[in-house]
């Protein structure tokens, strides 16, 4: 399956129109397991008549000359990094005894270069290799794992900011295969040249361009619609540095299994599965599930189900840890939260705006204050339907529906998979369905950083009524595979039958920070 995905990615990438302006078009591709894919990537680029250069090999072997003084000057200017111990690290371009191009790192204190500096030297060497200028398509592969932050920035800047403005012989398209563990949104996705493709264990995906995504933000609200719903997931809180989603799951796993921090996320999940099997704790639907599928689909709620067996809700170690992190995040809220608050205070928000979230932090309440009316406990949700009726007719504080409770009331936190398997309570289901009632126009629903994996919520969202009465969009730096599968199974046929937009048109390839920043900017335009 992965091989097929890889071939589809490369076929899609190589089929894109080449830049004919005489400058290099740089196309970054983020790869989660670069060493595993290197041989296949190299073979396909070579088969397409291109040049493939691996930075690790370039660092050891040097590059074909002669030196292009213009590119050498760009490389030397781009790679300049302050050192923690003082001074500056730079590179100097020269030749070795055999006449091959060699890049020397200056300012390093170690006689043997650490892996990160060797990688940086390899990237610089690959850029200088004259073979790149002999083909229309070239590729450079390198990994960020060993690079310190300053080195990551220097390499990325050289490849995506300096080279695109330069003519390089016959070269028209330069593909950057970048090995990454975690996407760094501001660097990888925020610039003029941003990552367009991603390859990971789920397959490959392509983002819409930043220009297309920014233009789409204006369509996420409609002043004439019965409701304007923003559904916020873990991605909304990412820049506030809260451990949500998979990060919270991994913390809970490490605590439950007594890990010393050395195990990988996959390793923890596999150990957890073994423990469940041996203690006869697998759920009915998990017993026939392949181990790999269990690992891929494991959520924080599933792990907390086991933790809950040993503690009262208020004393669960993971919730105590999250409460402390929440307090820190509230004091230093991230850009998405601050921009949402600025948008709410602008008096340009659409009427009948509703905020829905599966997060149980208190970031929105801290930012918005009395501009929101919070529904988080079962007692409050019992009154939510009446409030929505009054709000739609006469306005008032914006409803904030916290479907999984709030950390300030631990018993309200839906952190037990037994509860999510049973589904949302009747009052919470009723509140969601109220926001999808038939009307003269479709209600915009925008999912921001939401993975659509919740066992209690997705069964409600996939109902026919939602498909026919809401106009959904998904905000995520890359299209979420769970959202894509959801759309393929529960929306595509209806969208096609009614000649409505497809999933690709409904994706906004922005981080939550960039999305709410753009919303805030729109609220000030024309004033």
């Amino acid at each position: 399956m992965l091989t097929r995905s890889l071939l589809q990615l490369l076929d899609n990438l190589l089929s894109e129109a080449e830049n004919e302006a005489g400058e290099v078009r740089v196309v970054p591709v983020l790869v989660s397991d670069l060493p595993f894919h290197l041989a296949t990537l190299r073979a396909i680029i070579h088969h397409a008549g291109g040049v493939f250069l691996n930075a690790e090999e370039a660092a050891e072997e040097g590059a074909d000359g002669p030196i292009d003084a213009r590119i050498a000057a760009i490389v030397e200017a781009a790679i300049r990094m302050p050192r923690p111990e003082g001074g500056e690290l730079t590179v100097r371009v020269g030749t070795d005894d055999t006449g091959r191009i060699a890049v020397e790192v200056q300012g390093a204190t170690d006689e043997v270069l650490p892996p990160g500096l060797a990688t940086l030297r390899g990237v610089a060497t690959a850029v200088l290799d004259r073979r790149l200028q002999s083909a229309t398509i070239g590729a450079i592969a390198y990994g960020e794992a060993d690079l310190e932050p300053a080195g990551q920035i220097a390499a990325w800047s050289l490849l995506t900011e300096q080279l695109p403005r330069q003519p390089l012989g016959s070269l028209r398209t330069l593909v950057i295969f970048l090995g990454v563990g975690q996407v760094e949104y501001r660097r990888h996705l925020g610039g003029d040249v941003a990552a367009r493709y991603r390859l990971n264990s789920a397959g490959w995906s392509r983002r819409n361009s930043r220009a297309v995504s920014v233009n789409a933000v204006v369509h996420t609200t409609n002043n004439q619609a019965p409701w304007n719903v923003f559904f916020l997931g873990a991605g909304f809180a990412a820049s506030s540095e809260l451990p949500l989603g998979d990060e919270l799951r991994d913390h809970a796993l490490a605590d439950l299994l007594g890990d010393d921090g050395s195990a990988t996320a996959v390793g923890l999940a596999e150990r957890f599965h073994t423990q469940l099997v041996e203690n006869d704790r697998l759920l009915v639907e998990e017993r026939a599930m392949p181990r790999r599928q269990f690992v891929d689909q494991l959520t924080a709620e599933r792990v907390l189900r086991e933790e809950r067996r040993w503690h009262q809700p208020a004393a669960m170690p993971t919730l105590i840890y999250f409460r402390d992190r929440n307090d820190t995040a509230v004091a230093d809220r991230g850009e998405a939260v601050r921009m949402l608050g600025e948008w709410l205070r602008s008096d340009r928000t659409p009427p009948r705006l509703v905020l829905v979230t599966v997060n149980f932090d208190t970031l929105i309440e801290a930012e918005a204050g009395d501009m929101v009316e919070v529904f988080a406990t079962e007692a409050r949700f019992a009154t939510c339907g009446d409030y929505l009726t009054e709000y739609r007719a006469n306005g008032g504080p914006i409803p904030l529906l916290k479907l999984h409770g709030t950390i300030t009331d631990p018993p309200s936190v839906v952190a037990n998979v037994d509860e999510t398997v049973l589904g949302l309570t009747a009052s919470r289901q009723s509140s969601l369905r109220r926001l999808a009632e038939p009307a003269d126009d479709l209600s915009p629903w925008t999912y921001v950083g939401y993975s659509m994996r919740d066992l209690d919520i997705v069964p409600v969202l996939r109902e026919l009524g939602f498909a026919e009465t809401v106009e959904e969009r998904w905000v995520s730096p890359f299209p979420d595979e769970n959202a894509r599968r959801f759309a393929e199974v529960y929306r595509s046929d209806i969208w096609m039958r009614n000649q409505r937009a497809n999933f690709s048109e409904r994706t906004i390839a922005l981080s939550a920070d960039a999305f709410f920043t753009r919303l805030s900017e729109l609220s000030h335009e024309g004033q």
Side-chain angles (χ1 to χ4, degrees):
M1 187 67 178
L2 265 180
T3 300
R4 183 182 303 169
S5 293
L6 179 57
L7 293 173
Q8 289 172 344
L9 182 155
L10 290 169
D11 179 66
N12 194 283
L13 189 155
L14 296 173
S15 297
E16 288 194 354
E18 293 182 352
N19 180 358
E20 298 180 355
E23 297 180 350
V24 176
R25 179 175 65 98
V26 175
V27 184
V29 180
L30 305 183
V31 186
S32 62
D33 190 358
L34 182 60
F36 178 78
H37 294 297
L38 270 176
T40 306
L41 294 171
R42 186 195 306 270
I44 295 177
I45 293 295
H46 282 170
H47 186 72
V51 173
F52 185 97
L53 299 172
N54 180 5
E56 183 177 340
E57 297 169 356
E60 296 179 359
E61 301 171 3
D64 284 356
I67 295 174
D68 185 323
R70 177 175 52 87
I71 302 303
I74 292 171
V75 168
E76 292 180 344
I79 302 180
R80 308 185 70 88
M81 301 183 300
R83 305 300 294 155
E85 63 272 15
E88 187 178 51
L89 184 148
T90 60
V91 296
R92 185 178 67 84
V93 178
T95 56
D96 61 18
D97 294 339
T98 67
R100 290 180 64 77
I101 297 173
V103 175
E104 177 186 347
V105 177
Q106 299 182 318
T109 56
D110 301 323
E111 291 186 8
V112 178
L113 286 181
L117 294 185
T119 297
L120 193 61
R121 184 177 67 182
V123 170
T125 304
V127 167
L128 289 157
D129 198 311
R130 291 301 292 260
R131 286 176 293 177
L132 278 180
Q133 301 190 29
S134 65
T136 57
I137 293 176
I140 295 176
Y142 75 100
E144 284 194 339
D146 294 324
L147 287 170
E148 59 185 78
Q152 293 175 355
I153 294 170
W156 183 260
S157 174
L158 171 63
L159 295 170
T160 66
E161 296 177 14
Q162 306 303 320
L163 288 187
R165 295 195 294 268
Q166 303 299 325
L168 286 175
S170 301
L171 189 66
R172 292 293 176 267
T173 301
L174 176 62
V175 183
I176 307 300
F177 293 112
L178 177 62
V180 295
Q182 186 171 352
V183 178
E184 206 287 312
Y185 298 121
R186 193 174 298 277
R187 181 171 73 256
H188 296 147
L189 307 177
D192 291 335
V193 177
R196 185 80 186 279
Y197 296 88
R198 179 176 64 177
L199 178 67
N200 58 19
S201 60
W204 73 280
S205 56
R206 181 180 64 184
R207 324 169 57 224
N208 289 335
S209 69
R210 182 176 178 82
V212 167
S213 294
V214 167
N215 291 340
V217 174
V218 70
H219 300 298
T220 58
T221 60
N222 177 357
N223 288 346
Q224 307 306 315
W227 300 103
N228 286 272
V229 178
F230 286 83
F231 199 115
L232 311 177
F236 170 72
S239 62
S240 296
E241 299 185 358
L242 266 177
L244 290 166
D246 291 347
E247 185 181 352
L248 188 64
R249 175 203 64 196
D250 295 342
H251 178 87
L253 277 173
D255 183 79
L256 187 67
L257 300 173
D259 181 67
D260 61 3
S262 61
T264 64
V266 171
L268 286 171
E270 289 176 342
R271 284 172 54 191
F272 180 63
H273 184 264
T274 298
Q275 179 172 296
L276 295 178
V277 170
E278 293 183 358
N279 291 318
D280 196 25
R281 290 288 301 163
L282 287 176
L283 299 172
V284 173
E285 62 271 24
E286 294 170 346
R287 291 172 187 167
M289 186 182 294
R291 181 186 180 93
R292 185 65 197 182
Q293 183 181 352
F294 176 90
V295 169
D296 289 343
Q297 296 182 359
L298 185 61
T299 64
E301 287 82 6
R302 180 64 183 92
V303 181
L304 292 177
R305 177 181 192 259
E306 304 306 310
E307 184 178 302
R308 173 69 179 87
R309 289 166 59 78
W310 304 96
H311 304 278
Q312 292 294 332
M316 291 173 66
T318 301
L319 293 188
I320 292 173
Y321 163 75
F322 182 83
R323 183 191 62 205
D324 293 342
R325 292 287 300 272
N326 178 75
D327 293 344
T328 300
V330 162
D332 187 19
R333 298 185 282 279
E335 186 174 354
V337 180
R338 291 185 283 105
M339 290 299 100
L340 170 63
E342 185 173 306
W343 181 56
L344 297 180
R345 288 187 289 272
S346 70
D347 295 328
R348 297 288 296 274
T349 54
R352 300 170 295 281
L353 173 66
V354 179
L355 303 176
V356 182
T357 184
V358 292
N359 302 340
F360 40 87
D361 59 71
T362 58
L363 292 169
I364 298 175
E365 301 95 299
E367 178 68 30
D370 58 8
M371 288 189 293
V372 296
E373 183 76 17
V374 180
F375 297 87
T377 65
E378 190 57 26
R380 288 290 288 140
F381 268 103
T383 68
C384 187
D386 291 339
Y387 185 85
L388 290 174
T389 298
E390 175 65 20
Y391 174 70
R392 181 171 177 177
N394 300 310
I398 297 165
L400 170 59
L401 281 56
K402 303 182 71 171
L403 298 176
H404 283 175
T406 181
I407 193 62
T408 57
D409 183 5
S412 74
V413 175
V414 180
N416 184 324
V417 81
D418 286 334
E419 296 176 47
T420 58
V421 167
L422 291 173
L424 289 175
T425 61
S427 62
R428 298 176 199 222
Q429 291 186 42
S430 176
S431 298
L432 281 180
R433 292 189 180 108
R434 179 68 64 87
L435 302 175
E437 291 176 343
D440 291 338
D441 204 352
L442 300 172
S443 291
W445 276 53
T446 306
Y447 302 97
V448 183
Y450 181 51
S451 66
M452 308 201 76
R453 288 188 299 176
D454 293 294
L455 298 175
D456 55 340
I457 295 172
V458 170
V460 179
L461 297 179
R462 68 191 185 197
E463 293 173 357
L464 182 62
F466 283 84
E468 294 182 333
T469 62
V470 304
E471 195 66 275
E472 295 161 299
R473 288 180 173 82
W474 284 265
V475 176
S476 179
F478 275 95
D480 187 277
E481 288 307 309
N482 292 291
R484 185 190 300 278
R485 284 193 291 269
F486 173 88
E488 288 176 352
V489 176
Y490 302 110
R491 296 291 192 265
S492 295
D493 288 346
I494 295 172
W495 291 341
M496 186 180 301
R497 186 165 61 245
N498 295 323
Q499 298 183 336
R500 291 165 61 185
N502 59 34
F503 180 75
S504 177
E505 296 172 283
R506 296 169 182 273
T507 59
I508 299 177
L510 298 174
S511 68
D513 291 2
F515 173 76
F516 280 108
T517 296
R518 181 55 184 155
L519 265 184
S520 180
E521 291 171 350
L522 288 170
S523 70
H524 293 94
E525 290 179 3
Q527 291 186 351

